[in-house]
Amino acid sequence: MPDYLDDLRLAHVLADAADAATTDRFKALDLKVETKPDMTPVSEADKSAEELIRGQLQRARPRDAILGEEYGVEGTGPRRWVIDPIDGTKNYVRGVPVWATLIALMEAGEGGFQPVVGVVSAPALGRRWWAAQGHGAFTGRSLSKASRLRVSAVSKLSDASFAYSSLSGWEAQGRLDGFLDLTREVWRTRAYGDFWPYMMVAEGAVDMCAEPELSLWDMAATAIIVSEAGGSFTGLDGRPGPHSGNAAASNGLLHDELLGYLNQR
């Protein structure tokens, strides 16, 4: 079984480079922001960070394919790097420090490509999280200065903390009633948004989270980190991994109940 540790070290190098580039332009008065065809914003920092990561991957892993949010798919083969240069661009362009670069390596296997390495780096928060298949999940400032992640042991909804991004997506999918029923049953709700609630599930600070509409680059890195921390990461349909166009993550003990509420119609 491959250990993926060389790939994990490379992912950290890529994240270091991206952090330097994105931090340099964060809160810049002359930051250029455009609107993409799907009406979401993209900044010059998104593009430059992805270009930087792609350039380093092409030198270090020339046989691997690359999928990025801003420039699509390049290459073919059984290994594919998946990049979200800035997850939380709306926060980034408004000066909110909750944004991160997401880097994952996916490898072909049974059921399609599955994430085997993931790094989530949030430099404005001073935080980084990572995992490699079979080696656990960690957080810290470097590979040598890290603490292991473990999901919570909360087993009752009445004791659980539930995180989400917004209400509009649930309403658009006709899932709002189930979503609101869930919020009435849990101990606490907070709308942290983007990558952060998944990392808090992995840390055990939050017990479950979900989003109704996501892309692969939003989920590949977070899925392996939550899973290696002992949690469950599926689509709302219960399919394991980042393949359903939406996500539900939990400590595992609450996962069936989480999906049950969010699938009420």
Side-chain angles (χ1 to χ4, degrees):
M1 175 179 171
D3 65 18
Y4 301 110
L5 293 182
D6 284 344
D7 295 308
L8 178 60
R9 283 188 281 269
L10 174 59
H12 275 275
V13 171
L14 300 172
D16 288 342
D19 283 356
T22 53
T23 302
D24 181 63
R25 298 299 292 156
F26 184 49
K27 295 188 178 181
L29 296 178
D30 60 344
L31 181 71
K32 296 178 181 177
V33 182
E34 303 171 4
T35 301
K36 294 192 286 189
D38 64 359
M39 302 308 293
T40 60
V42 57
S43 74
E44 64 181 79
D46 292 80
K47 294 180 177 181
S48 62
E50 183 168 324
E51 289 167 356
L52 186 64
I53 294 170
R54 284 177 177 269
Q56 292 198 20
L57 281 172
Q58 287 161 356
R59 291 188 293 273
R61 297 288 190 274
R63 296 183 179 179
D64 293 352
I66 304 171
L67 169 64
E69 178 176 9
E70 306 307 334
Y71 295 106
V73 179
E74 182 178 358
T76 59
R79 289 165 47 99
R80 176 181 293 176
W81 294 86
V82 180
I83 307 159
D84 189 342
I86 299 179
D87 183 52
T89 298
K90 292 178 182 178
N91 285 345
Y92 184 88
V93 301
R94 287 296 303 270
V96 178
V98 183
W99 48 271
T101 295
L102 279 52
I103 301 169
L105 172 63
M106 301 186 73
E107 194 165 76
E110 292 185 13
F113 282 87
Q114 300 296 334
V116 294
V117 167
V119 171
V120 173
S121 191
L125 295 176
R127 299 295 308 277
R128 184 177 291 186
W129 304 261
W130 63 88
Q133 187 180 77
H135 291 278
F138 295 85
T139 185
R141 295 195 174 274
S142 68
L143 283 165
S144 60
K145 297 179 181 179
S147 56
R148 189 153 190 164
L149 298 174
R150 190 69 194 172
V151 296
S152 74
V154 172
S155 59
K156 296 181 180 178
L157 282 181
S158 58
D159 296 329
S161 180
F162 170 56
Y164 61 97
S165 287
S166 68
L167 297 179
S168 57
W170 300 104
E171 185 174 26
Q173 291 192 6
R175 299 179 188 267
L176 184 59
D177 288 345
F179 175 90
L180 292 175
D181 286 344
L182 174 62
T183 66
R184 297 182 184 107
E185 294 297 321
V186 298
W187 166 64
R188 191 170 192 244
T189 62
R190 284 294 182 273
Y192 299 107
D194 300 307
F195 67 93
W196 205 8
Y198 300 95
M199 298 303 93
M200 287 191 280
V201 168
E203 292 177 343
V206 166
D207 307 302
M208 53 188 183
C209 65
E211 289 181 272
E213 187 174 5
L214 293 169
S215 298
L216 180 59
W217 47 76
D218 298 313
M219 299 183 282
T222 59
I224 182 69
I225 294 171
V226 169
S227 298
E228 286 291 322
S232 296
F233 189 106
T234 73
L236 297 177
D237 57 5
R239 181 184 178 188
H243 303 290
S244 300
N246 46 49
S250 76
N251 62 7
L253 301 173
L254 300 165
H255 208 75
D256 288 345
E257 289 179 281
L258 172 63
L259 294 179
Y261 276 96
L262 296 180
N263 282 305
Q264 289 182 23
R265 295 281 183 166

